Amino acid sequence: GRVNYVVTHLIQAIRSREGSFSSIERLGAGSYYEHVKVFEPNEFDIMLLMPVARLQLDECDDTGAYYYLSFKRNPKEKYLLKFLDEDGKLSAFKMLQALREIIKQEVKNIKDEEVTVKRQKAGSPAITLQIKNPPSEISVDIILTLEVQQSWPPSTQDGLKIEQWLGRKVRNEFRNRSLYLVAKQNKKEKVLRGNTWRLSFSHIEKHMLNNHGSSKTCCESDGPKCCRKGCLKLLKYLLEQLKMQYTKQLEKFCSYHVKTAFFHSCVMWPKDTDWQSGDLEYCFQKYLGYFLDCLQKSQLPHFFIPQYNLLSPEDKVSNYFLSELLSYELNNGFPIFQE
């Protein structure tokens, strides 16, 4: 409720200003909205969507995930022209700066809640708000997202292999949805200019998690229950607990690794009977086994962009370190859950 109050206030204020961001919409993304949050809800991700008709996408590295954006011809969205850099590319940095300034001014006008804007983390696509009132602090990441009405780029062609799990029709329907791009710094860029954007599939991931059964009624009120989400929550919890103990060694890992391995597992074991609710322990160990295998090989393909490896071999040491910790847990009956 408090998050909605603050975000609704901000969106109305941003829209009422004539100018660049007057067409934004909101989308709740991340674990809270996918119903797989494992601790109390004190962190929220809100995507602010800006509709754009067409953009030219140029890959900026070999991952197939990061792009430079420019306009093919005179855009309808004239207000975006002031965010072009000297090469005519749409600058993520400039757009984030501008949005950040508006939000900094607007949080001062929010009554009843003490809201501050946290300092920008280098390379982060988020503008982070801290809502301070007791009983607890809440952090809200606002993520500027372009919603582009055009077909997905070639790097996604062989991804989203859900035909056996959710069906070919669902895959086609997903691929006809808009393309999302978030303002995300690509660390591989030789000169960090802050003008790269990364593909985002949050809207599709949210849909897959909330409609995860091969039968349409899986986990609905009168349908059969499965343990897919239970497995995902357990591995997220396990990783979060380990990260608390080994913060430095595991800083490279995030819940997105666990979620990606989860989607691959759903494809490998596509039937609802593969995930019966009474088989939680067995299913969890099978899913964890797959994730361990990925860590040991330093190979976890992005679910939508198969050429993009989320566990790069140059992080072999930390991949191996996490696999050792997880193997220990698995072989000793998960002492961390007993704590």
Side-chain angles (χ1 to χ4, degrees):
R2 293 167 61 196
V3 171
N4 278 336
Y5 171 73
V6 169
V7 173
T8 305
H9 177 101
L10 283 178
I11 288 179
Q12 282 168 351
I14 294 166
R15 279 197 196 137
S16 65
R17 292 175 172 233
E18 281 310 304
S20 316
F21 300 104
S22 55
S23 57
I24 57 169
E25 298 284 336
R26 74 177 274 180
L27 173 81
S31 57
Y32 178 78
Y33 297 96
E34 292 162 347
H35 309 295
V36 289
K37 190 91 186 112
V38 290
F39 291 107
E40 68 277 8
N42 57 358
E43 290 177 356
F44 293 79
D45 296 327
I46 304 281
M47 294 178 111
L48 287 194
L49 304 182
M50 282 188 74
V52 183
R54 284 192 73 72
L55 285 167
Q56 175 161 330
L57 273 63
D58 295 303
E59 291 195 18
C60 67
D61 63 10
D62 55 1
T63 61
Y66 288 90
Y67 291 84
Y68 297 120
L69 305 181
S70 50
F71 290 104
K72 291 191 164 145
R73 46 191 169 274
N74 278 342
K76 288 209 294 276
E77 301 83 11
K78 293 274 182 277
Y79 53 82
L80 290 177
L81 294 175
K82 66 167 177 284
F83 299 123
L84 298 181
D85 65 12
E86 58 280 9
D87 306 332
K89 296 192 180 80
L90 191 55
S91 165
F93 176 73
K94 282 185 178 177
M95 284 187 77
L96 266 182
Q97 279 303 77
L99 183 59
R100 196 183 166 79
E101 282 313 307
I102 296 174
I103 289 176
K104 269 168 103 165
Q105 290 162 20
E106 286 300 339
V107 292
K108 296 178 186 141
N109 304 327
I110 296 180
K111 308 278 177 278
D112 316 324
E113 292 285 356
E114 191 188 335
V115 185
T116 52
V117 179
K118 285 182 75 171
R119 281 192 50 200
Q120 185 68 15
K121 281 211 284 284
S124 160
I127 298 167
T128 305
L129 308 178
Q130 208 71 26
I131 304 177
K132 282 219 166 78
N133 278 11
S136 61
E137 277 203 5
I138 299 174
S139 118
V140 181
D141 277 351
I142 291 185
I143 298 151
L144 175 63
T145 310
L146 302 180
E147 180 178 14
V148 193
Q149 307 291 334
Q150 69 193 50
S151 50
W152 294 11
S155 63
T156 63
Q157 195 56 52
D158 298 325
L160 190 59
K161 282 270 168 264
I162 57 173
E163 291 88 344
Q164 303 302 310
W165 168 34
L166 299 174
R168 183 170 297 140
K169 244 161 83 178
V170 174
R171 182 179 193 268
N172 293 341
E173 190 246 307
F174 284 159
R175 286 187 58 88
N176 285 326
R177 294 194 184 186
S178 310
L179 194 59
Y180 281 18
L181 292 139
V182 295
K184 177 74 175 136
Q185 182 76 65
N186 180 6
K187 297 189 180 70
K188 283 189 180 166
E189 254 194 320
K190 305 255 184 312
V191 184
L192 291 178
R193 285 224 206 83
N195 60 359
T196 55
W197 297 78
R198 192 187 65 202
L199 293 178
S200 163
F201 300 92
S202 298
H203 52 321
I204 311 286
E205 291 164 6
K206 181 177 167 182
H207 192 98
M208 290 195 301
L209 276 168
N210 290 333
N211 303 275
H212 53 252
S214 52
S215 76
K216 296 294 169 249
T217 55
C218 185
C219 289
E220 285 184 4
S221 53
D222 50 353
K225 301 283 179 273
C226 79
C227 65
R228 286 182 182 91
K229 278 191 171 180
C231 289
L232 175 58
K233 283 183 176 178
L234 280 173
L235 193 45
K236 280 182 62 158
Y237 179 78
L238 186 50
L239 179 63
E240 284 179 36
Q241 294 296 79
L242 290 171
K243 277 185 68 132
M244 284 179 202
Q245 290 179 22
Y246 304 96
T247 312
K248 195 82 198 100
Q249 299 94 318
L250 299 180
E251 64 184 358
K252 289 255 184 336
F253 298 102
C254 62
S255 62
Y256 197 73
H257 290 106
V258 166
K259 185 156 105 173
T260 300
F262 171 74
F263 287 138
H264 286 301
S265 299
C266 288
V267 166
M268 284 188 294
W269 300 291
K271 297 200 287 292
D272 295 342
T273 49
D274 296 328
W275 300 88
Q276 285 173 340
S277 62
D279 297 338
L280 176 69
E281 195 176 335
Y282 168 72
C283 294
F284 175 63
Q285 293 188 13
K286 200 164 62 166
Y287 157 46
L288 176 57
Y290 168 70
F291 186 50
L292 277 170
D293 196 42
C294 294
L295 288 166
Q296 281 149 8
K297 293 180 179 148
S298 288
Q299 185 65 41
L300 174 62
H302 190 288
F303 192 67
F304 297 82
I305 310 167
Q307 72 197 53
Y308 181 20
N309 179 13
L310 297 178
L311 293 174
S312 81
E314 58 225 39
D315 298 327
K316 228 187 191 115
V317 174
S318 45
N319 296 341
Y320 184 71
F321 184 77
L322 178 56
S323 84
E324 287 293 279
L325 292 175
L326 290 172
S327 299
Y328 175 81
E329 290 294 325
L330 177 63
N331 298 328
N332 291 282
F334 299 102
I336 211 159
F337 290 154
Q338 267 75 63
E339 287 166 27

